[in-house]
């Protein structure tokens, strides 16, 4: 990135071990040393090392997710926990992130509401301090608030989902953390909470 103009200059790209469609969430570790990419079609997380001098990325390998159809990745503010949100059964899996960027599963939370699992959880947002996660569910037309345990990093429901008249899709929180916004899949509306 050119610091004066903000323009981009390509430095290369990685060639995946196997060409696969369905790449979804991408997140960079706060250290700048690792990238994580979720693959929807194979339900895996691909781990990449980042060269500090050139910014080039090198694929390290892939790790299976417990949930089907993973859609989104979130990192805790300190970079020690990675959360994978999967559509099917409204599933959140928590991973610890090692100092070398490696991932180890800590556990999973399934919030299946009994509705069509294919159109379940779509997006997630976290609070700036990492204490809360919010999950949109387009089928149930709801947003679920999760509390993140300060010691284990595992999320749990903070109460019943907030039901919307519309189908919440993508989520965004205000910079000051006071408001949560969603666009609605079935209409062209934006909803604020």
């Amino acid at each position: 990135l050119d610091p004066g103009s903000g323009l981009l200059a390509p430095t290369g790209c990685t060639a995946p071990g196997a060409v696969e469609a369905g790449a979804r969430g991408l997140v960079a570790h706060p250290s700048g040393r690792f990238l994580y990419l979720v693959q929807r079609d194979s339900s895996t997380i691909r781990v990449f090392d980042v060269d500090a001098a050139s910014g080039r990325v090198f694929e390290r390998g892939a790790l299976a997710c417990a949930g089907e159809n993973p859609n989104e990745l979130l990192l805790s503010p300190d970079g020690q926990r990675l959360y994978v949100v999967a559509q099917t059964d409204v599933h959140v899996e928590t991973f610890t992130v090692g100092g070398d960027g490696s991932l180890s599963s800590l556990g999973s939370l399934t919030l299946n509401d009994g509705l069509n699992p294919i159109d379940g959880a779509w997006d997630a947002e976290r609070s700036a301090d990492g204490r809360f996660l919010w999950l949109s569910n387009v089928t149930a037309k709801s947003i679920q608030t999760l509390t993140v345990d300060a010691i284990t990093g595992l999320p749990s429901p903070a109460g019943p989902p907030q039901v919307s008249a519309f189908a919440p899709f993508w989520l965004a929180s205000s910079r000051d953390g006071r408001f949560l916004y969603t666009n609605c899949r079935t209409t062209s509306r934006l909803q604020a909470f």
Side-chain angles (χ1 to χ4, degrees):
L1 302 176
D2 183 285
S5 67
L7 295 175
L8 308 175
T11 62
C13 62
T14 65
V19 177
E20 182 180 355
R24 289 295 172 116
L26 174 69
V27 67
H29 192 270
S31 70
R33 297 173 43 214
F34 318 108
L35 289 172
Y36 302 98
L37 172 77
V38 73
Q39 288 287 162
R40 182 179 174 85
D41 295 354
S42 62
S43 294
T44 57
I45 306 167
R46 292 170 59 193
V47 181
F48 299 88
D49 292 305
V50 178
D51 178 69
S54 68
R56 291 187 181 189
V57 294
F58 304 93
E59 186 168 4
R60 181 189 300 182
L63 180 70
C65 301
E68 290 182 54
N69 300 317
N71 223 26
E72 183 66 273
L73 292 173
L74 296 169
L75 269 167
S76 61
D78 61 9
Q80 294 182 6
R81 301 284 186 270
L82 179 74
Y83 300 95
V84 180
V85 177
Q87 261 187 295
T88 303
D89 293 329
V90 190
H91 187 95
V92 181
E93 187 171 7
T94 304
F95 291 86
T96 58
V97 180
D100 62 351
S102 61
L103 300 175
S104 299
S105 181
L106 271 177
S108 295
L109 172 67
T110 300
L111 298 164
N112 189 349
D113 54 14
L115 298 172
N116 181 355
I118 299 303
D119 287 328
W122 189 260
D123 191 29
E125 181 75 358
R126 69 166 174 77
S127 61
D129 60 10
R131 293 175 46 220
F132 304 103
L133 299 175
W134 297 280
L135 302 171
S136 65
N137 185 320
V138 296
T139 302
K141 296 182 179 178
S142 66
I143 297 173
Q144 176 70 59
T145 301
L146 303 176
T147 303
V148 177
D149 185 276
I151 297 170
T152 66
L154 293 169
S156 60
Q162 172 68 48
V163 177
S164 170
F166 313 103
F169 206 35
W170 297 107
L171 300 172
S173 59
S174 61
R175 188 171 290 235
D176 63 7
R178 295 177 50 221
F179 304 104
L180 184 72
Y181 304 97
T182 183
N183 64 325
C184 303
R185 186 176 187 183
T186 57
T187 68
S188 58
R189 299 172 194 237
L190 291 175
Q191 190 170 12
F193 294 90

